[in-house]
Amino acid sequence: MSTPQQREDEHLSGELGRVLWSDPSTGFSIARLRMDDERVWVIKGDLGGLSTGERVEVRGRFVEDSRWGRQFKVHTARPVLPTTPEGIGRYLNGIGVRGIGQRTAERIVETLGERTLEIIADEPKRLEEVKGLGPKRRQALIEAIGPRLQRDAALLYLHGLALSPWQIRRVLQTWGEDAVRHIRQNPYRLAEVSGLGFATADRVARGLGIGEEAAERIDAGLLHAMGALAQRGHTAPHCEQVDGLAMQVLHGDALLVADRRQALIRTGALVS
């Protein structure tokens, strides 16, 4: 009978400890993860830019390394925003703002309560309620926590789209904090991100409820077809070539494809 350590869908959660090794070009890292029961595991894989002190959830499986013993091979990693006063205090302490230690972090949470992170992001003036927290430290905390919360929110949203760690990294490298806004406006823009392509964008878009005959889907298929033909050296392909290649990925109505091609030509998105 298989043990939990042998299952492919094992997941661990805890506080990310010291990063032992990291390759910024690939996102691959080796780090320690401290569990709630104080056990410590060595985890390895693409950690999505998460850093020491953050609370995280990782999914993957345990493996036996011939040199280092049992380790957890990470398939996905995502931040977990704290919900308890103790967790929020550790989160604030871990941000690394000079002058915001554990005691100050606890005082902030005692004053602002369970909505501390939300209040700092949306109502930062309320930090003035915290006794002993001067204007310089208040401003430093606001400047540090805003981007961190935006990044965590983006990571959680992208994980919800079932994108892989390297795909998430590419999206954030391309659009940064604007990633969620771009995808919500038109998920087919994911095809613009290097390495993702139409198939990934289509899967995400269909999962978000965009229909098979939606204009944005057909437009994306046509633009994909034009790009693919250009890569093959066709600088001025015939309409039939564009429509035919688009149909291969869209599996839709030929008349709709032709109509959308004409619309894109009229707007200048495609050149006839």
Side-chain angles (χ1 to χ4, degrees), residues 47-269:
L47 301 183
L50 298 171
S51 55
T52 298
E54 292 192 72
R55 186 163 183 81
V56 302
E57 179 184 90
V58 295
R59 290 184 176 273
R61 62 188 178 90
F62 282 94
V63 296
E64 292 290 341
D65 186 280
S66 59
R67 183 175 180 184
W68 304 110
R70 173 161 288 180
Q71 298 179 335
F72 192 81
K73 185 177 181 180
V74 175
H75 296 159
T76 63
R78 68 180 185 91
V80 177
L81 294 179
T83 56
T84 65
E86 296 80 8
I88 296 170
R90 287 195 298 269
Y91 185 91
L92 294 175
N93 183 39
I95 286 177
V97 176
R98 187 174 181 179
I100 306 290
Q102 187 64 34
R103 188 171 299 176
T104 302
E106 290 172 357
R107 193 162 67 248
I108 293 171
V109 177
E110 287 172 4
T111 303
L112 301 181
E114 293 182 355
R115 293 180 56 245
T116 291
L117 298 179
E118 181 184 342
I119 289 170
I120 295 174
D122 299 334
E123 306 172 70
K125 191 172 177 60
R126 288 194 56 190
L127 280 172
E128 296 176 8
E129 301 172 16
V130 182
K131 293 180 179 179
L133 189 65
K136 288 186 177 179
R137 285 196 296 172
R138 289 199 302 266
Q139 188 59 36
L141 182 58
I142 292 167
E143 291 176 356
I145 204 169
R148 176 82 163 262
L149 288 172
Q150 285 183 332
R151 187 214 62 176
D152 287 351
L155 282 171
L156 290 170
Y157 179 78
L158 295 170
H159 274 288
L161 302 179
L163 295 175
S164 69
W166 74 264
Q167 289 173 328
I168 290 172
R169 188 171 62 254
R170 287 279 180 87
V171 170
L172 293 176
Q173 287 172 346
T174 302
W175 290 323
E177 63 184 32
D178 292 325
V180 175
R181 177 174 60 84
H182 286 317
I183 295 170
R184 283 178 173 161
Q185 287 176 347
N186 182 1
Y188 284 100
R189 290 203 61 189
L190 282 168
E192 301 172 15
V193 178
S194 175
L196 268 65
F198 176 82
T200 297
D202 195 37
R203 175 183 60 76
V204 169
R206 300 301 297 277
L208 292 174
I210 292 182
E212 185 174 292
E213 297 184 349
E216 55 262 54
R217 180 173 187 266
I218 298 174
D219 291 353
L222 285 161
L223 293 171
H224 164 79
M226 279 294 294
L229 289 168
Q231 288 181 344
R232 299 174 190 175
H234 298 281
T235 56
H238 296 295
C239 295
E240 292 80 4
Q241 289 177 289
V242 177
D243 291 2
L245 189 54
M247 287 291 295
Q248 290 181 24
V249 296
L250 292 169
H251 308 293
D253 185 274
L255 290 176
L256 281 176
V257 171
D259 286 345
R260 289 309 305 168
R261 172 174 45 76
Q262 289 298 328
L264 289 175
I265 291 172
R266 287 194 296 271
T267 62

